[in-house]
Amino acid sequence: MSSYSTSELYSIFIMQSFAGFSLFSVLLLMALGLAIIFGQMGVVNLAHGEFMALGAYTVYLCSNVAHNQFPSLAGSYFVFAIVIAFFVAGLAGMFVEWALIRFLYKRPLDTLLATWGLSLIMQQGFRLTFGAREVTPTLPEWLMGSFKPSESIDIPINGVFVMGLTLLLTFAVWVFMFRSKTGLQMRATVQNRAMSGAVGINTKLVDRFTFALGCGIAGVAGAAFTTIGSTGPDSGSRYIVDTFLVVVFGGTSSLLGTIASAFGIAQGQSISGFFLEGTMGKVAVLLAIIVILMIRPKGLFAGKVRS
Amino acid sequence: MNTALPTKTNRAKKRYLASGCVLLGLLTTAFAYAADFPTAQVNTTGLAVTDTEVTVGQLHSATGTMAISETGSIQAEQLAIDQINEAGGVLGRKIKIIVEDGASDWPTFAEKAKKLLVNDKVAAVMGCWTSASRKAVLPVFEKENGMLYYPTFYEGLEQSKNVIYTGQEATQQILAGLDWIAKEKKAKTFYLIGSDYIWPRTSNKIARKHIENVLGGKVVGEEYYALGHTDFGSLINKIKLKKPDVIYAIIVGGSNVSFYKQLKAAGITSDKWTLLTISVTEDEVLGIGGENLAGFYSAMKYFQSLENPNNTKFVEAFKKKYGAKSVIGDVTQAAYLGPWLWKLTVEKAGSFDIDKVAAASSGVEFTGAPEGYVRIHDTNHHLWSKLRIGQWQTDGQAKVLYESGLIEPNPFPKGYQ
C-alpha cells in the first residue's frame, strides 16, 4: 500500500468506516422486528422477510400515487410512505396473528411450517399484484447523491438516512419496551404468562399487539431498503437469512444482544470484504459466527432466565 | 411458392401480403402450400405435425426468481410465432404453442422438457434462459432427440446437435468490447466484478486473458458477489483506492440495482469513471433507473434504439402487443430470432424431422432480424453476430456508439480457457 498517499488512505478509512456503520444500521433495522417476534414471543416467523417486502411495496405504491395524483408531494412523500408502511405491515401482522399464529403458540415446529407457507402465499400474492419484475419507487432527489466533506470523501446520503432511521427506531423501541406500560405488560407476558394473566393482563391482546409491532417495524425496514435496492416478489427470502443470523447470534431474548450482534457482523463483513475478495469475506464472517456459537450456544447475550 | 419467406427476392410480395388485403387469397395459398408437403413426407418420426398444424413447446420461467428476466423472452417468442402464423405458418402449417413453466427450478426444467418431447412430441422448443437450466435440459434433448432454440448470451464451452444458440457466446460479447474501450479510452487497468456463478466467472476469465495477453493491460482487481447481494460499500472503496481505467461489471439480477445506485451515491459517475458491462440491457435499466447509469457503457449485439427498418417494425409490433411502456433487451431480441430461424430451417430442409432440421441449420440466413442480418455458423450451431457498444442515457435507452463487423462464434476459444 506504499504507493498511496496518507490523505488517500485517510479518505478510504473514513469511507470504509462509514460503509461498516451503514451495513450495521441495515442489519439492525432488519433484525429489530424479528428480535421482538422471535426473541420476545418465541415465534419462528419465516414470513418476516415478506413483511419487509410488504413495506417496500407500500412505498412503491405511495410513490406512484404521489407522482401521478399529487406531484407537489414528490419531494416529501417518502416520509409519509414510511409511516404508512408501518401501519400496513402492522395491520397485516395483526390479521395474521388472529388468523394463524394464535393457534400455534404451543406448537413451535408447526409455526415454522405455517409461516413458511404464509411466506410462499405472500410471495405469490406480490407476484400476481405487482408482477414478477423487480420494482423501484422514484425516490426524492434529496435522498440520492452524496456529501462531500472533502475532495476525496463521498458519504452516500441514503446511507445516512437509513442510519438516522435506525437510531430513531431503536430508541423508540427501547423507550416503548422499557419505559411504557404496554411494554411492561409485554415483557411480563414473555416472562410468565400465567402470572401475567392472573394480575389482570389480557395476554392474548398483548400477543397480538406484540406481533403487529414486530411486523410494523419490518415494514419500516422494507420501506427504508427501497433507498438501497430494488423490490421483487422474493426479496423477503433474501433478507430472512441475515435477519435470523443477527437475532440468533445476538442471543434471542436480548435487545442489546441484537444490537451488538448486528454491529459485530456488519464490521466483520465490511472489513473482511475490504481485505478479502467479496464472497470470501462473507465466508470468513460466517465461519467466525459458527465458531462463536459453538463456544456460546445461546448467542452473545444469553437471557437471564431463572430455571 | 414460398409465400412469406422474408428473403430479398420476394420482398415485394411480402409487402403485398403484409398489407393485410386478400386474406382469403392468403389462406388459399397457405393451404395449397401445405398440400405440396404431405404430412407423411415432412414428418417421418411421429412428431406432433398434422396437415394444418405443427406443435412447438415453450419452456421458460414464468414464476420464481428468473421470471423477471425470462418474461421478455416469452413475449418475443410468442410475437414471432404470431407473425409467422399470420404470414402462413411453416410449410403451410399453423404453429400451436404448448407453454410449460420451468419455475426457476432446474430439475423442473428437465422434467418439463421431457414432457414436451416425449408426451407432446413437439417439433421444436423455444426455451431456457440461465445456463443452469440449459445444462439441466441438455441431456434430455440429446437423449430424446429434440430441438432447442436458446436465446441468452452465455459463457460458451458448449455445442450440441440439438441446440441452436441464438445469443452470443462469451468471446463475441467480450473481445470486441474490450478492444473498443482500450482504444477509445486508452485504458490500461481493469477492475473485474461479477455475480458468483458460471457465466460471470467464465466471462471474466476470458476478459482477463484478453486484457493481459492481447491488450497488454493489467487487471487490478477481480471479485464476485453472491446473487442478490446488496451491500457494495467495501467494493466501492477498493475501486476508489485502485483507480482502474475501466470498471468491468457482470452483475446480474436484483444486485444490479443496489450496485449502480451505490456507485452513484459514492460519486462513481461517468464524468470521472469508465464502466463497461455485459450484463445490463434495457430490461435491467428499467429497474436500475437510467439516471443511475447515465454515461456508462454496455456491450451487446442488440439495443432497442437500433435504427434499421427491421427493428422499427419489430419495436412497433412488440409495443403494440405488450404495451407502450415495454422495453426490449438483447436477450428478448435473440429470443425473437428462435421461431424465425426454426421456420427458415424447416423450409430449407423441407421437413420437420429433427435430424434433417439439425443438419439443415448450418448456414441458415435470416435477413429480417431486428439486429440486422444473422446467419447460423456452418459447424457450431451459434450465430454470426455484430457487437455494439451502447452508452446509457437518462431515459433508459442506449445511444449506439460503435458497431463491429459480423463476428464468428467461437464457443471453444483457444488460448482463453
Side-chain angles (χ1 to χ4, degrees):
Chain A
M1 294 239 175
S2 54
S3 58
Y4 305 110
S5 71
T6 329
S7 76
E8 248 176 15
L9 288 175
Y10 172 72
S11 306
I12 293 293
F13 178 75
I14 297 284
M15 287 189 288
Q16 189 57 30
S17 315
F18 181 82
F21 276 104
S22 176
L23 185 61
F24 161 57
S25 41
V26 167
L27 288 179
L28 181 55
L29 202 53
M30 275 186 188
L32 215 47
L34 195 73
I36 292 173
I37 292 175
F38 180 51
Q40 300 295 315
M41 303 174 73
V43 173
V44 181
N45 181 17
L46 286 185
H48 196 74
E50 275 61 45
F51 284 97
M52 291 189 212
L54 186 63
Y57 275 121
T58 308
V59 173
Y60 173 69
L61 280 183
C62 289
S63 154
N64 282 357
V65 171
H67 284 89
N68 295 334
Q69 316 284 332
F70 311 101
S72 59
L73 287 179
S76 60
Y77 85 91
F78 195 70
V79 179
F80 303 112
I82 290 180
V83 178
I84 297 173
F86 175 80
F87 284 103
V88 169
L91 286 175
M94 205 172 266
F95 174 74
V96 165
E97 203 276 346
W98 172 79
L100 190 71
I101 308 288
R102 66 181 168 134
F103 302 111
L104 300 168
Y105 282 123
K106 295 207 174 92
R107 297 146 60 190
L109 282 179
D110 297 350
T111 321
L112 190 90
L113 210 55
T115 52
W116 185 57
L118 176 69
S119 80
L120 294 182
I121 293 170
M122 288 177 78
Q123 281 179 24
Q124 198 58 33
F126 295 144
R127 198 168 282 125
L128 292 172
T129 320
F130 299 99
R133 273 175 208 273
E134 307 213 343
V135 297
T136 11
T138 316
L139 292 170
E141 274 301 312
W142 55 267
L143 259 178
M144 310 315 291
S146 56
F147 289 130
K148 270 187 153 312
S150 86
E151 190 45 42
S152 54
I153 301 180
D154 294 88
I155 302 288
I157 292 172
N158 55 6
V160 176
F161 179 82
V162 172
M163 229 183 250
L165 188 68
T166 310
L167 273 179
L168 192 74
L169 205 65
T170 314
F171 183 68
V173 167
W174 181 79
V175 167
F176 181 78
M177 294 288 287
F178 295 95
R179 290 288 177 271
S180 81
K181 201 178 163 200
T182 326
L184 187 69
Q185 291 182 345
M186 274 176 163
R187 286 183 296 134
T189 310
V190 168
Q191 283 182 7
N192 193 328
R193 183 172 295 271
M195 187 55 85
S196 307
V199 298
I201 296 172
N202 185 343
T203 56
K204 283 187 178 160
L205 199 66
V206 168
D207 284 337
R208 189 155 312 153
F209 193 74
T210 313
F211 193 82
L213 179 70
C215 291
I217 294 174
V220 174
F225 294 159
T226 57
T227 64
I228 299 170
S230 58
T231 311
D234 48 7
S235 293
S237 55
R238 285 208 306 266
Y239 300 141
I240 194 79
V241 177
D242 280 337
T243 312
F244 268 100
L245 195 68
V246 170
V247 176
V248 172
F249 184 57
T252 47
S253 53
S254 160
L255 195 59
L256 194 65
T258 305
I259 297 173
S261 145
F263 185 78
I265 294 176
Q267 294 300 344
Q269 208 154 301
S270 182
I271 292 168
S272 63
F274 187 77
F275 289 107
L276 298 170
E277 189 227 315
T279 315
M280 287 314 293
K282 188 128 196 174
V283 170
V285 170
L286 288 174
L287 277 177
I289 290 177
I290 291 172
V291 170
I292 293 176
L293 279 180
M294 278 160 84
I295 301 169
R296 293 183 67 90
K298 288 198 164 160
L300 289 178
F301 289 65
K304 291 185 209 84
V305 180
R306 282 179 212 172
S307 52
Chain B
M1 279 294 274
N2 29 359
T3 40
L5 269 181
T7 54
K8 270 181 192 155
T9 45
N10 60 5
R11 212 169 253 171
K13 193 171 179 189
K14 191 179 157 221
R15 210 172 294 135
Y16 165 73
L17 289 171
S19 66
C21 52
V22 210
L23 185 66
L24 196 66
L26 177 74
L27 281 174
T28 12
T29 30
F31 280 125
Y33 191 34
D36 292 338
F37 294 93
T39 307
Q41 215 174 78
V42 298
N43 175 24
T44 62
T45 55
L47 295 169
V49 179
T50 68
D51 293 344
T52 55
E53 211 175 62
V54 51
T55 308
V56 304
Q58 197 182 23
L59 178 57
H60 285 288
S61 300
T63 57
T65 179
M66 288 312 300
I68 308 156
S69 310
E70 300 196 40
T71 307
S73 303
I74 297 173
Q75 293 175 334
E77 285 158 7
Q78 288 177 349
L79 174 67
I81 288 171
D82 283 358
Q83 291 178 339
I84 292 170
N85 281 342
E86 268 168 45
V90 183
L91 290 181
R93 289 160 177 86
K94 290 282 157 78
I95 303 172
K96 184 186 143 201
I97 316 177
I98 295 183
V99 181
E100 289 295 344
D101 181 10
S104 312
D105 179 59
W106 323 136
T108 306
F109 266 95
E111 200 179 291
K112 300 286 185 183
K114 187 156 188 186
K115 185 238 167 203
L116 284 171
L117 296 179
V118 177
N119 297 1
D120 301 327
K121 309 257 181 236
V122 297
V125 175
M126 313 296 149
C128 297
W129 210 92
T130 60
S131 288
S133 66
R134 190 192 66 253
K135 292 279 185 205
V137 303
L138 188 63
V140 181
F141 274 86
E142 290 184 339
K143 178 163 176 277
E144 308 296 343
N145 203 20
M147 214 52 212
L148 173 69
Y149 287 79
Y150 174 72
T152 321
F153 42 76
Y154 83 115
E155 66 279 358
L157 306 177
E158 193 183 292
Q159 179 180 322
S160 168
K161 170 200 149 196
N162 300 86
V163 184
I164 302 291
Y165 306 81
T166 67
Q168 311 87 300
E169 50 77 25
T171 63
Q172 286 177 298
Q173 208 186 357
I174 295 169
L175 307 187
L178 286 173
D179 289 346
W180 180 83
I181 207 106
K183 187 168 156 241
E184 205 67 18
K185 301 279 169 186
K186 313 227 172 343
K188 282 288 164 205
T189 54
F190 295 77
Y191 205 114
L192 311 181
I193 301 158
S195 289
D196 203 357
Y197 71 102
I198 180 170
W199 176 60
R201 279 191 180 264
T202 317
S203 298
N204 272 340
K205 198 169 163 190
I206 292 172
R208 180 186 271 271
K209 297 247 171 178
H210 194 68
I211 290 165
E212 288 172 349
N213 301 342
V214 180
L215 300 175
K218 198 173 160 224
V219 175
V220 295
E222 176 176 351
E223 37 193 306
Y224 299 91
Y225 288 85
L227 286 166
H229 190 85
T230 50
D231 176 67
F232 293 97
S234 299
L235 169 67
I236 287 169
N237 287 330
K238 273 190 268 186
I239 294 174
K240 286 189 163 178
L241 200 60
K242 299 270 172 72
K243 294 196 191 67
D245 295 337
V246 175
I247 303 166
Y248 195 70
I250 318 184
I251 304 241
V252 306
S255 296
N256 257 323
V257 180
S258 313
F259 180 62
Y260 290 103
K261 270 191 181 170
Q262 287 169 28
L263 280 183
K264 193 187 181 198
I268 299 192
T269 47
S270 62
D271 49 346
K272 286 193 198 129
W273 299 79
T274 303
L275 183 145
L276 176 65
T277 170
I278 59 168
S279 61
V280 173
T281 74
E282 286 81 350
D283 277 306
E284 280 78 22
V285 177
L286 204 60
I288 297 167
E291 71 279 4
N292 293 322
L293 262 178
F296 290 156
Y297 305 99
S298 267
M300 294 285 157
K301 70 169 172 172
Y302 172 85
F303 290 100
Q304 188 184 325
S305 60
L306 282 186
E307 284 172 16
N308 68 58
N310 290 344
N311 191 41
T312 313
K313 264 199 288 184
F314 171 58
V315 173
E316 195 184 284
F318 195 92
K319 286 189 178 261
K320 194 176 158 211
K321 193 165 158 78
Y322 300 112
K325 279 189 175 172
S326 52
V327 296
I328 304 166
D330 181 281
V331 186
T332 304
Q333 191 271 156
Y336 176 78
L337 304 180
W340 282 104
L341 287 169
W342 174 70
K343 171 198 155 78
L344 294 170
T345 312
V346 167
E347 293 184 341
K348 179 183 166 200
S351 168
F352 289 101
D353 291 350
I354 302 292
D355 289 339
K356 287 180 193 154
V357 169
S361 289
S362 299
V364 167
E365 298 172 316
F366 180 33
T367 50
E371 66 172 277
Y373 171 90
V374 294
R375 183 169 85 239
I376 302 177
H377 191 262
D378 286 339
T379 54
N380 66 26
H381 275 194
H382 290 65
L383 295 189
W384 286 79
S385 58
K386 294 180 174 177
L387 179 104
R388 288 154 173 123
I389 300 283
Q391 185 174 37
W392 294 108
Q393 312 292 309
T394 44
D395 65 357
Q397 289 294 319
K399 191 172 145 200
V400 179
L401 299 183
Y402 166 77
E403 182 178 301
S404 74
L406 278 176
I407 301 172
E408 182 175 8
N410 181 15
F412 297 94
K414 287 209 178 65
Y416 284 101
Q417 290 170 38

